[in-house]
Amino acid sequence: MNGRRARFTRDGDEIVITPRDALRKGKDFTVAVTYGGVPEPLGGPIVFGSNYGWMKTTDGVFVACEPNAASTWFPSSDHPDDKATYDIRIKAPKGLTGVSNGRLVSTYDKGDSTYTHWRETKPMATYLATATIGKFDVKTGTTPGGTPIYVAIDPVLANSNNVDVYAVTAAATDYWSEVFGPYPFEETGAIVDDMPEAGFSLEVQTKPVYSAVRSETTIVHELAHQWFGDSVSVERWKDIWLNEGFATYAQWLWAEHQGTRSAHDSFLAGYNARPADAPFWQITVGDPQRDTMFASAVYQRGAMTLQVLRERIGDAAFFKLLPAWTKIHRYGNANTADFVRLAEKISGQQLDDLFQTWLFTTGKPALPTP
């Protein structure tokens, strides 16, 4: 600590460090932790204490940490409100590529190994870190709007479906930059790995990871998280609808942008598909419990809330609200109360009843009166 050896104790996944000298209030200090080991996947559903972390592939490792698996491979304050910048260096067997967050600083071969150095200069929550390693076909360039792009795809999946990951990533990054505000990071991209056991994708900062090529809607969902979840992160996990509801609503906006279905029709389809007695309506979206924080209601009813809000305050105010939200809280953390206050400020309307009904009241709400 501050360059001097310090005493420490470890209990499970917590480490307590005792400095030799007293720390001065309000002053920065530096802690360096030397560590090592073999990360292992935790397995089970994605909830606290039972998530995936590092998963072996046939040629390397697939790394996705939400919500709290980062601590399985590096010492950290593993919580979304403790962000940091990162330098991640990867040593891999020669012929494999190590891909991580931010921009590639350097890569070189030495002996039987390949070394890569990645740097993320913008604040990042721990669960958004990755160090995925494997055989990849890499394509780089810039989006039409000028954002650098890096897409790595496992060659096994090159012809697995008709989704052009690079093209969709570029197009969605540019479109969300128009709707949500300027792209918040130095690079956009994707990591597509052959990991069918994972069965999910994740909004890793700057390069979402996909366990196989999914669909266009999956890509636009994960890229929307670069604004909602990555740049603007939740203060507490109970506000997770601010991540997943917004990214799901982005899928509806993309369909509207493509001219295939309006967001209103997407809302009605989800609303009408679930009867009043469905368990879906019994989850408190604004404060889900530990085992339901990734339930479909958090995603879908969260998106429904945004459509109801849009129809209440009108398009002009709604599409002013989204970039205002990402600008005010850029690279920081926020909660539901913050969003409600901003929505009321921009719209000039009292909105407590709307959010209380759609986020905090169980049961199927009545459709808003036109």
Side-chain angles (χ1 to χ4, degrees):
M1 181 172 284
N2 287 337
R4 302 187 67 191
R5 291 186 64 84
R7 295 188 305 275
F8 69 92
T9 59
R10 179 176 174 180
D11 182 9
D13 64 356
E14 293 191 357
I15 184 170
V16 176
I17 303 169
T18 305
R20 288 188 176 188
D21 304 312
L23 300 176
R24 296 178 61 187
K25 184 176 181 179
K27 298 296 183 180
D28 292 342
F29 61 91
T30 301
V31 178
V33 181
T34 301
Y35 64 101
V38 180
E40 297 180 358
L42 299 177
I46 305 178
V47 294
F48 287 101
S50 183
N51 47 357
Y52 289 93
W54 281 53
M55 292 162 280
K56 291 182 179 180
T57 62
T58 57
D59 57 14
V61 61
F62 177 86
V63 183
C65 297
E66 189 174 15
N68 65 323
S71 58
T72 65
W73 62 285
F74 64 93
S76 57
S77 176
D78 200 4
H79 192 278
D81 74 350
D82 198 348
K83 293 184 172 185
T85 58
Y86 286 75
D87 278 88
I88 296 177
R89 295 172 173 85
I90 302 170
K91 175 186 175 183
K94 191 173 181 178
L96 302 185
T97 301
V99 188
S100 189
N101 312 86
R103 300 295 302 274
L104 182 62
V105 176
S106 65
T107 181
Y108 62 92
D109 293 333
K110 183 177 180 181
D112 294 330
S113 301
T114 296
Y115 296 80
T116 51
H117 174 193
W118 293 86
R119 176 172 293 155
E120 176 51 83
T121 62
K122 306 303 182 185
M124 181 170 74
T126 49
Y127 80 89
L128 298 169
T130 191
T132 295
I133 302 168
K135 294 180 180 178
F136 292 109
D137 291 332
V138 175
K139 183 177 181 179
T140 62
T142 58
T143 71
T147 301
I149 181 172
Y150 181 108
V151 173
I153 301 178
D154 189 321
V156 172
L157 302 172
N159 300 310
S160 62
N161 65 22
N162 295 321
V163 178
D164 187 333
V165 179
Y166 185 96
V168 174
T169 297
T173 297
D174 285 351
Y175 184 62
W176 294 148
S177 297
E178 297 175 11
V179 179
F180 303 147
Y183 183 68
F185 305 117
E186 293 181 287
E187 186 168 81
T188 187
I191 304 169
V192 185
D193 207 357
D194 184 23
M195 185 58 188
E197 293 88 349
F200 65 87
S201 301
L202 182 67
E203 70 273 17
V204 163
Q205 190 157 307
T206 72
K207 293 175 190 66
V209 294
Y210 306 94
S211 57
V213 182
R214 295 306 188 89
S215 65
E216 185 170 313
T217 56
T218 300
I219 295 171
V220 301
H221 176 108
E222 303 304 345
L223 284 172
H225 274 306
Q226 302 303 305
W227 287 261
F228 305 103
D230 296 10
S231 177
V232 182
S233 303
V234 294
E235 286 185 355
R236 297 291 183 271
W237 284 112
K238 69 177 184 178
D239 294 308
I240 189 66
W241 85 275
L242 289 170
N243 294 4
E244 301 302 347
F246 279 65
T248 302
Y249 190 70
Q251 295 175 244
W252 300 0
L253 289 179
W254 185 257
E256 193 167 80
H257 170 61
Q258 299 288 84
T260 56
R261 184 161 71 171
S262 69
H264 176 77
D265 287 345
S266 294
F267 164 75
L268 286 181
Y271 180 89
N272 292 330
R274 299 172 174 91
D277 60 353
F280 174 92
W281 300 109
Q282 299 309 310
I283 294 173
T284 305
V285 173
D287 188 10
Q289 301 306 299
R290 174 185 181 275
D291 293 340
T292 57
M293 61 178 280
F294 292 107
S296 63
V298 174
Y299 294 66
Q300 296 293 324
R301 190 166 174 174
M304 292 179 190
T305 302
L306 292 172
Q307 180 61 23
V308 173
L309 174 64
R310 176 182 173 182
E311 295 181 11
R312 167 81 75 88
I313 67 177
D315 276 10
F318 184 77
F319 288 105
K320 181 180 179 182
L321 169 63
L322 297 184
W325 174 253
T326 63
K327 180 179 181 181
I328 291 170
H329 299 289
R330 191 176 176 92
Y331 308 132
N333 299 76
N335 58 42
T336 300
D338 294 326
F339 183 71
V340 174
R341 281 193 294 269
L342 185 61
E344 291 182 335
K345 179 180 179 180
I346 288 177
S347 68
Q349 298 183 33
Q350 191 72 21
L351 300 169
D352 289 351
D353 62 316
L354 185 156
F355 290 103
Q356 182 63 38
T357 297
W358 286 89
L359 294 180
F360 297 101
T361 304
T362 57
K364 187 173 184 177
L367 285 174
T369 304

